[in-house]
Amino acid sequence: MTELVSSAPMSRAVPGARLRFYAAWGMVAVLLAAFPSIFTSASSLTTFSLVGTAIIFALSYNILLGQTGLLSFGHAVYYGIGAFFAVHTMNLIPQYGLPVPLPLVPLIGGVAGLLLAILTGWISTRRAGTVFSMISLGVAELAVALALILTDFFGGEDGISTNRTKLPAWFGWHFGPQVQVYYLVAFWVFVSALAMYALTRTPLGKICNAVRDNPERVQFVGYDPHIVRYLAFCFAGLFAGIAGALAAISFESANFTDLGWVKSGAVIFSTYIGGTSIFAGPIVGAIFFVYLSLSLSDYTSVWQLYFGLLFILVVRYAPGGIGGTLLMHRMPFRVGGLGRILRTYAIAAVPTLMLVGGFVLAVETIVHHTVNANEDPRIKAFGVSFDASSPMTWIVAGLLMLIGYFVGRLTWRGVTRAWDDARTIASERGIPS
Amino acid sequence: MIPAIEVRAVNKSFGNVEIIRNLNLRIEKGERHAVIGPNGAGKSTTFNLISGYLAPTSGDVLLNGQVVSGLPPFEINRRGLSRSFQLTNVFARMTVWDNVRCAVLWASGQRYAFWKSMDDLQDVNERTIRILEDIHLAARRDVIAGLLPYAEQRALEIGITVAGGSDVIILDEPTAGMSRAETDRAMALIKRLTEERTLVIVEHDMNVVFGLADRISVLVYGEIIASGTPAEIRNDPRVKEAYLGQEAVDA
Ligand SMILES: Nc1ncnc2c1ncn2[C@@H]1O[C@H](COP(=O)(O)OP(=O)(O)O)[C@@H](O)[C@H]1O
Ligand SMILES: [Mg+2]
């Protein structure tokens, strides 16, 4: 035991870590700056604005879910309030001739989100777990109801619109061209992501993790878990408000759906799918979610159905999300079992894709018969055309699913075995999994 | 002199079951005090009452002369009392290093700071390294606490308890479930880490208790039936009758 102690490093290799930190964030900055030169079309810049907003929103949500262990069902309330305050600010500035340029508007949204979180948070963070989740749901219901009543501020069903180019120019920029909006969003994505990352490395950030793991024990090292949860909640509200304001700038409008449960559900979905246990998880999840919801809806009318199934599958089979699952492969990589695991994946992918293909075919056929029954039976889903009225379609779908399922089961056993072997080697060598 | 801990006529009931009855206890500063008694006697409940995990139904608990009963655990901890748990109670998904850092934070005056980087807190990091070396876990600093073997989790439990530098340390069966050799090592550790501090410990191993304690209290059915030096306890007929097996007394 003693020799282990004396050979242990005396302190963290702080300079190395610091260098990596600056290198990583410097690279992000360069990528963000170069993006419009690579993707020049206005539509890809618009898509980025959506993605960037979703990234801040998901990261803010993960302050609650991943860092502090709080499952909120109403995070969009703070996003929505940021959006509405941003829109009203953008309307008031030209009206009163205030010298505030557009790039400062997200700050107003952030402050709005923060102030609302300060108000609602104290009571809702008193307890974690189910109590917190239920209160967040109640606050969300209340917010939507209020939004539809207070029509002066929220604009009823239509919402409030604005014109971002009416604000005072900022170094000659009026934010009419999409690329100028892109740089505004990119700047705020960078600053917000960096700030939220830095937060995870502060005393408060660490204690948030401790409260997530064991709120009881935290009290016996001097911390009040209520205050820790409250502060986390306020930060989450602040960054959600910034995200909402950026959305309002992109769309030049805000609508009561911005604070509704669909929006709250979407942020849970993207954060969880991306992975809550690592900082970059929600970033991956937000990109994945926006991209999938934009593209999937082009291919099929029941894309939400596939979304729901995907979510269930991730919760059941990859609870670490995309990020956590990727990271999980560090262990087989270290013990040299990764090659075999990847080979078993490749084998298992064939029947699994058959199963998925058969399932999609069946779903699309049913959708055709129930929803679009009077239309042309030759339908097209995911770029493949087939005749929904032909019995062949059903036979093919059935066979694909059957074969895919039974062969798939066998091949996935191979995956399990490869993992078990890697784990055995890892535990023999004392490598943590 | 003001005692470190004073329990005055404390009663505790769960529903209408009285678990602690008229408990009186006085532990001087710097004393090593063992609480012994059969399972279910109320030892852990007593610790819960002293550390603020439970509030007494009636009576007072004083820490360094100040009434602390009714205060939440974090207030009592800030006044200089730290406890460990009978069942390991660590931050399971965090590394060993971060477990101890969190235990050091408040005592280093960091409070809820969100404008400082943890890595820049020299004082916190140095204290953490010292604690990790004390509990022989320096080489395991990057392991996730929940994945540590049992004995190492128990060591971490003690590390978290003493990390804040509290003057009063109370340990609830720190060696529960340990082998003979592990127990000896843990007790040596506890002795060293609690030097010049007040220690209250629940321990079942009589050899350990009589070797360590300055004073011993015997708790049976929620009542203290005897309190005194090891020699007094060894020769107390009520203790012999109620709790100690004859062989344990002879040992
Ligand atoms: N929260 C509680 N609610 C109800 N009964 C409890 C609670 N905590 C402890 N008890 C009861 O109090 C008695 C004493 O328990 P405990 O203090 O854990 O004993 P010891 O630590 O001496 O073994 C036991 O009978 C136990 O069942
Ligand atoms: Mg006990």
Side-chain angles (χ1 to χ4, degrees):
Chain A
M1 272 244 161
T2 27
E3 71 278 356
L4 285 177
V5 172
S6 50
S7 69
M10 279 305 287
S11 65
R12 289 247 132 156
V14 172
R18 184 143 299 168
L19 206 66
R20 266 204 313 270
F21 173 87
Y22 287 125
W25 286 95
M27 216 153 73
V28 172
V30 169
L31 278 179
L32 285 174
F35 187 87
S37 327
I38 307 163
F39 301 92
T40 45
S41 77
S43 78
S44 56
L45 292 179
T46 312
T47 307
F48 176 86
S49 297
L50 285 178
V51 170
T53 310
I55 285 175
I56 301 180
F57 192 28
L59 283 174
S60 80
Y61 187 68
N62 207 39
I63 296 177
L64 299 177
L65 183 61
Q67 312 287 353
T68 318
L70 294 170
L71 174 63
S72 165
F73 290 125
H75 197 46
V77 170
Y78 309 90
Y79 174 93
I81 215 70
F84 276 102
F85 270 87
V87 164
H88 283 295
T89 307
M90 284 153 77
N91 286 336
L92 287 175
I93 289 170
Q95 191 182 329
Y96 290 96
L98 302 172
V100 183
L102 191 66
L104 291 182
V105 168
L107 215 53
I108 307 282
V111 170
L114 172 65
L115 289 178
L116 185 63
I118 287 174
L119 278 179
T120 58
W122 186 252
I123 292 170
S124 62
T125 55
R126 201 172 285 270
R127 301 276 301 280
T130 314
V131 178
F132 171 82
S133 298
M134 290 306 135
I135 292 178
S136 73
L137 193 62
V139 170
E141 288 291 325
L142 199 71
V144 172
L146 278 179
L148 289 172
I149 295 167
L150 305 173
T151 46
D152 278 349
F153 188 81
F154 293 99
E157 303 250 355
D158 299 331
I160 305 270
S161 55
T162 183
N163 184 341
R164 64 176 176 241
T165 61
K166 291 269 171 64
L167 275 73
W170 189 74
F171 295 107
W173 280 17
H174 281 95
F175 299 96
Q178 198 58 48
V179 67
Q180 293 180 358
V181 178
Y182 166 86
Y183 277 115
L184 191 159
V185 174
F187 168 78
W188 278 101
V189 169
F190 184 77
V191 169
S192 306
L194 186 58
M196 284 188 268
Y197 178 73
L199 183 64
T200 65
R201 308 185 58 90
T202 64
L204 176 66
K206 274 288 171 247
I207 284 295
C208 281
N209 296 165
V211 166
R212 170 199 69 198
D213 281 8
N214 195 340
E216 178 186 280
R217 185 62 192 254
V218 163
Q219 302 191 53
F220 294 91
V221 296
Y223 280 92
D224 181 351
H226 179 204
I227 291 183
V228 176
R229 285 192 287 259
Y230 181 53
L231 291 173
F233 193 81
C234 291
F235 274 106
L238 166 71
F239 289 106
I242 291 176
L246 288 173
I249 289 172
S250 301
F251 294 120
E252 299 187 294
S253 70
N255 186 278
F256 81 98
T257 54
D258 285 338
L259 38 80
W261 58 268
V262 174
K263 198 81 201 163
S264 292
V267 78
I268 299 177
F269 188 102
S270 34
T271 307
Y272 194 89
I273 292 235
T276 58
S277 60
I278 42 174
F279 182 77
I283 299 179
V284 176
I287 296 170
F288 180 81
F289 181 83
V290 173
Y291 179 75
L292 214 64
S293 54
L294 287 178
S295 56
L296 215 54
S297 54
D298 286 344
Y299 291 118
T300 167
S301 59
V302 288
W303 55 276
Q304 279 113 329
L305 184 149
Y306 296 113
F307 257 29
L309 268 172
L310 179 70
F311 192 60
I312 293 170
L313 289 176
V314 169
V315 172
R316 173 66 184 81
Y317 294 105
I322 300 170
T325 306
L326 286 178
L327 228 56
M328 209 171 80
H329 290 79
R330 272 184 314 185
M331 182 274 284
F333 176 74
R334 277 191 215 145
V335 302
L338 188 61
R340 185 176 149 212
I341 286 178
L342 292 182
R343 267 195 304 283
T344 60
Y345 285 167
I347 296 167
V350 176
T352 307
L353 283 176
M354 283 171 73
L355 175 64
V356 171
F359 178 78
V360 170
L361 191 58
V363 168
E364 294 298 328
T365 310
I366 293 169
V367 169
H368 177 80
H369 282 293
T370 53
V371 185
N372 317 316
N374 305 322
E375 288 171 21
D376 187 350
R378 279 160 303 161
I379 58 176
K380 204 168 168 216
F382 294 95
V384 185
S385 29
F386 56 92
D387 186 346
S389 61
S390 149
M392 249 333 263
T393 305
W394 280 106
I395 293 169
V396 170
L399 276 178
L400 279 174
M401 282 195 281
L402 270 178
I403 297 171
Y405 177 73
F406 284 106
V407 179
R409 266 178 26 150
L410 293 178
T411 56
W412 279 100
R413 258 178 231 157
V415 174
T416 312
R417 244 176 282 131
W419 268 102
D420 285 345
D421 290 349
R423 268 190 212 105
T424 312
I425 300 171
S427 69
E428 275 165 10
R429 295 196 205 153
I431 296 170
S433 49
Chain B
M1 206 175 83
I2 300 168
I5 295 176
E6 197 178 352
V7 178
R8 284 190 195 152
V10 160
N11 289 283
K12 180 67 192 175
S13 313
F14 294 112
N16 48 19
V17 188
E18 261 200 326
I19 298 295
I20 299 294
R21 284 175 237 166
N22 191 30
L23 188 79
N24 289 285
L25 194 60
R26 191 186 156 96
I27 297 164
E28 303 298 336
K29 283 184 178 146
E31 181 178 319
R32 284 188 177 143
H33 197 105
V35 177
I36 62 174
N39 273 328
K43 305 181 295 295
S44 294
T45 305
T46 301
F47 275 22
N48 289 341
L49 289 164
I50 294 174
S51 63
Y53 191 73
L54 295 172
T57 310
S58 67
D60 288 318
V61 177
L62 286 80
L63 177 66
N64 299 322
Q66 285 183 308
V67 176
V68 293
S69 38
L71 291 179
F74 51 86
E75 291 285 358
I76 296 177
N77 177 263
R78 291 170 196 173
R79 284 168 166 73
L81 180 141
S82 188
R83 70 165 294 183
S84 76
F85 288 80
Q86 185 174 352
L87 299 173
T88 306
N89 206 352
V90 298
F91 306 115
R93 286 170 59 194
M94 300 170 78
T95 61
V96 169
W97 170 252
D98 278 342
N99 264 268
V100 176
R101 278 210 293 186
C102 283
V104 165
L105 269 181
W106 188 275
S108 316
Q110 299 306 328
R111 304 174 64 90
Y112 302 98
F114 50 80
W115 52 88
K116 305 180 195 173
S117 164
M118 286 285 276
D119 293 335
D120 294 341
L121 303 175
Q122 285 295 332
D123 173 44
V124 170
N125 293 335
E126 275 161 22
R127 278 171 84 162
T128 304
I129 289 167
R130 235 177 298 129
I131 296 289
L132 285 180
E133 284 174 355
D134 280 338
I135 60 175
H136 304 306
L137 286 182
R140 308 282 269 159
R141 56 189 277 167
D142 293 323
V143 179
I144 301 295
L147 301 177
L148 285 175
Y150 180 78
E152 289 182 348
Q153 280 196 13
R154 296 302 297 173
L156 179 59
E157 175 79 34
I158 294 169
I160 291 174
T161 307
V162 299
S166 300
D167 288 330
V168 183
I169 302 286
I170 67 182
L171 304 175
D172 194 354
E173 301 200 27
T175 65
M178 285 189 182
S179 68
R180 179 81 254 158
E182 285 167 347
T183 301
D184 289 345
R185 219 173 316 140
M187 287 317 301
L189 177 73
I190 289 167
K191 261 190 191 165
R192 192 156 47 81
L193 293 181
T194 57
E195 251 159 43
E196 291 168 20
R197 305 197 210 183
T198 309
L199 172 69
V200 191
I201 185 170
V202 171
E203 176 56 54
H204 277 302
D205 188 319
M206 286 308 134
N207 290 321
V208 169
V209 168
F210 285 105
L212 174 87
D214 302 321
R215 290 175 67 82
I216 300 172
S217 291
V218 185
L219 193 66
V220 179
Y221 291 122
E223 281 174 296
I224 293 198
I225 60 163
S227 199
T229 62
E232 285 165 2
I233 295 299
R234 210 188 283 267
N235 300 318
D236 190 304
R238 281 168 308 167
V239 176
K240 280 189 196 179
E241 186 191 336
Y243 174 64
L244 290 176
Q246 200 56 45
E247 62 275 69
V249 180
D250 294 339

